[in-house]
């Protein structure tokens, strides 16, 4: 590029910048009313995003056919904390629309979609683990991370607020998390509940989350015994499958747990107790993390009509889908509950005992 072209390009940038900066608020005006000093950082935060950036964001997330106006996207990216800063600088100007109500509706929709998906995909998942999994899929940190990935951070309008006796401090992560929630509500408002579920499925539920780390047992052998009794299977037995270095300083034992002829789990360790612990934990993971095949997965929200509109305006022309409820899984047994559980007497845990050699031990 020649020096003349560089000079012309630099001059054009100066013209575009001078059209917006310095603003009128930065100019000194003689007045009897005291005026706070001009802050370029505050002025930059108060400026709305250009329509070109909003249109590029909508096309990037492939919702250009859903949002008819850039004002909707601007509203989805404006946190409610922005109003306090806007009132301080422009007390007489009309307040911009925020995503407070949209984020609340979107949060409920995302929790609904994640709960029904995880409950249908993992029917034997314990209740506490299910709640933790829902938070991992559509929680605040995940929503903030998705907002960063789709490029919504430069469009965010918010203001850091200190904590108060009635509410915690508002951080940038909280403000970013409101954008995907507001987008979900807008998709539901402009299209349908099925379109909103597809949006959540694409950006949240399609992610891989390791659920094994969420399932922890204080005594997996006792929990396995209760689970086997619950399903009416034979007493579990741990059997030594392989070993090496028994008389060395680094032995390795491989233990398998069987219920009759069926192998429930397998584990290894530097001692028989450790290998037995891991084998029982592996057997519990195999049951609790049993996943429904994708072609057999049915969701209750799939019964809604696919047409445009909310669920309360289904016309006669819209055909609803049928839903066949799966068989309910046996409720989980709450062991170590000090006798406050509702377990039937015949399913109460039995006294643990050991018999035989290391080759064949009853848990």
């Amino acid at each position: 590029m020649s020096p003349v072209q560089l000079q012309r390009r630099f001059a054009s940038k100066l013209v575009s910048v001078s059209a917006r900066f310095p603003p009128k608020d930065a100019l000194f005006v003689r007045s009897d009313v005291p005026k706070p000093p001009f802050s370029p950082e505050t002025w930059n935060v108060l400026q709305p995003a250009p329509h070109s950036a909003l249109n590029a964001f909508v096309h990037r997330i492939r919702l250009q056919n859903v949002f008819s106006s850039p004002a909707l996207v601007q509203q989805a990216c404006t946190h409610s904390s922005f109003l306090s800063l806007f009132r301080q600088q422009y007390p007489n100007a009309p307040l911009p629309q925020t995503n407070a109500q949209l984020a609340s509706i979107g949060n409920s929709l995302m929790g609904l979609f994640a709960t029904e998906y995880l409950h249908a995909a993992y029917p034997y998942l314990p209740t506490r683990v299910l709640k933790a999994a829902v938070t991992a899929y559509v929680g605040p940190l995940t929503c903030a991370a998705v907002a960063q990935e789709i490029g919504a951070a430069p469009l965010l309008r918010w203001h850091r607020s200190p904590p108060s006796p009635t509410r915690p401090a508002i951080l940038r992560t909280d403000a970013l998390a409101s954008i995907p929630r507001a987008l979900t509500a807008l998709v539901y408002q402009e299209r349908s509940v099925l379109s909103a579920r597809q949006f959540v499925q694409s950006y949240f539920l399609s992610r891989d989350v390791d659920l094994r780390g969420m399932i922890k047992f204080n005594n997996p052998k006792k929990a396995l015994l209760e689970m086997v009794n619950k399903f009416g299977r034979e007493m579990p037995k741990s059997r030594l499958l392989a070993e090496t270095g028994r008389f060395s300083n680094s032995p390795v034992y491989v233990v398998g747990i069987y219920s009759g002829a069926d192998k429930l789990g397998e584990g290894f360790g530097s001692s028989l107790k450790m290998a037995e612990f891991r084998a029982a934990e592996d057997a519990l993971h195999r049951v609790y993390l049993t996943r429904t095949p994708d072609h057999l997965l049915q969701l209750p929200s799939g019964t809604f009509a696919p047409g445009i509109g909310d669920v309360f305006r289904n016309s006669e022309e819209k055909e609803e889908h049928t839903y066949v409820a799966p068989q309910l899984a046996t409720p989980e047994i709450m062991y170590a509950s000090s006798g406050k559980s509702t377990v039937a007497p015949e399913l109460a845990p039995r006294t643990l005992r050991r018999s035989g050699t290391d080759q064949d031990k009853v848990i």
Side-chain angles (χ1 to χ4, degrees):
M1 185 177 295
S2 62
V4 178
Q5 292 176 343
L6 287 174
Q7 186 176 4
R8 291 178 179 177
R9 185 175 181 180
F10 182 71
S12 62
K13 289 186 176 182
L14 287 178
V15 172
S16 61
V17 171
S18 61
R20 298 181 57 190
F21 193 87
K24 296 181 180 179
D25 300 340
L27 302 178
F28 176 77
V29 179
R30 187 180 297 277
S31 176
D32 298 335
V33 180
K35 185 178 180 181
F38 174 75
S39 174
E41 293 80 5
T42 304
W43 177 85
N44 184 40
V45 171
L46 293 173
Q47 301 309 305
H51 286 182
S52 59
L54 297 176
N55 292 328
F57 172 71
V58 169
H59 282 75
R60 186 164 54 250
I61 60 178
R62 299 181 180 180
L63 293 179
Q64 64 274 10
N65 297 327
V66 177
F67 301 137
S68 57
S69 172
L72 292 176
V73 187
Q74 185 69 69
Q75 179 184 358
C77 298
T78 303
H79 193 257
S80 58
S81 61
F82 179 75
L83 296 180
S84 60
L85 180 63
F86 190 87
R87 288 195 189 97
Q88 294 176 4
Q89 301 296 326
Y90 308 107
N92 299 325
L95 297 177
Q97 294 183 342
T98 64
N99 61 6
Q101 295 183 353
L102 293 176
S104 178
I105 297 175
N107 186 36
S108 301
L109 289 173
M110 294 172 69
L112 167 66
F113 298 147
T115 303
E116 69 171 3
Y117 171 77
L118 290 173
H119 183 69
Y122 302 96
Y124 299 100
L125 205 63
T127 304
R128 293 183 180 180
V129 182
L130 179 65
K131 293 180 179 180
V134 171
T135 303
Y137 272 99
V138 295
L141 296 180
T142 306
C143 290
V146 171
Q148 290 273 14
E149 293 175 4
I150 62 180
L155 306 178
L156 176 63
R157 305 173 75 189
W158 74 291
H159 180 59
R160 187 184 300 273
S161 302
S164 66
T166 57
R167 59 171 177 78
I170 299 178
L171 304 179
R172 188 169 183 268
T173 303
D174 304 326
L176 279 175
S178 65
I179 297 180
R181 296 169 179 171
L183 292 176
T184 303
L186 284 177
V187 173
Y188 167 69
Q189 173 183 316
E190 299 295 324
R191 284 296 184 264
S192 64
V193 64
L194 296 183
S195 300
R197 190 185 70 179
Q198 181 62 35
F199 175 78
V200 176
Q201 177 69 33
S202 301
Y203 286 95
F204 292 91
L205 301 182
S206 60
R207 295 168 172 257
D208 293 332
V209 177
D210 185 15
L211 301 181
R212 295 178 64 91
M214 302 180 185
I215 305 178
K216 297 296 183 181
F217 304 94
N218 294 330
N219 193 341
K221 295 189 294 183
K222 185 175 181 180
L224 179 61
L225 175 63
E226 295 174 350
M227 186 185 67
V228 170
N229 289 335
K230 178 174 61 176
F231 289 101
R233 303 293 297 272
E234 296 184 19
M235 184 72 66
K237 296 181 180 181
S238 59
R239 297 170 183 171
L240 183 62
L241 302 180
E243 66 170 298
T244 181
R246 177 184 286 264
F247 300 104
S248 65
N249 60 353
S250 57
V252 177
Y253 301 94
V254 179
V255 174
I257 290 187
Y258 292 81
S259 176
D262 298 330
K263 183 179 179 181
L264 303 181
E266 182 178 322
F268 69 96
S270 58
S271 64
L272 290 173
K273 186 176 181 180
M274 180 187 297
E276 194 178 19
F277 184 95
R278 291 178 176 175
E281 197 173 38
D282 179 62
L284 292 170
H285 285 163
R286 290 175 183 270
V287 175
Y288 289 135
L289 297 180
T290 300
R291 182 181 175 86
T292 305
D294 294 337
H295 66 281
L296 298 178
L297 195 63
Q298 287 188 338
L299 302 177
S301 61
T303 58
F304 294 134
I308 298 178
D310 55 40
V311 296
F312 303 102
R313 290 182 294 182
N314 290 331
S315 61
E316 298 179 356
E317 300 178 357
K318 297 180 179 180
E319 182 180 356
E320 296 182 354
H321 299 282
T322 58
Y323 172 73
V324 180
Q327 184 179 3
L328 293 178
T330 307
E332 59 185 282
I333 296 180
M334 300 297 294
Y335 66 95
S337 57
S338 302
K340 299 180 181 180
S341 63
T342 58
V343 181
E346 60 272 10
L347 297 182
R350 305 174 184 176
T351 305
L352 301 184
R353 66 182 186 275
R354 293 179 180 268
S355 64
T357 61
D358 293 339
Q359 298 289 339
D360 191 358
K361 294 192 299 184
V362 179
I363 299 180

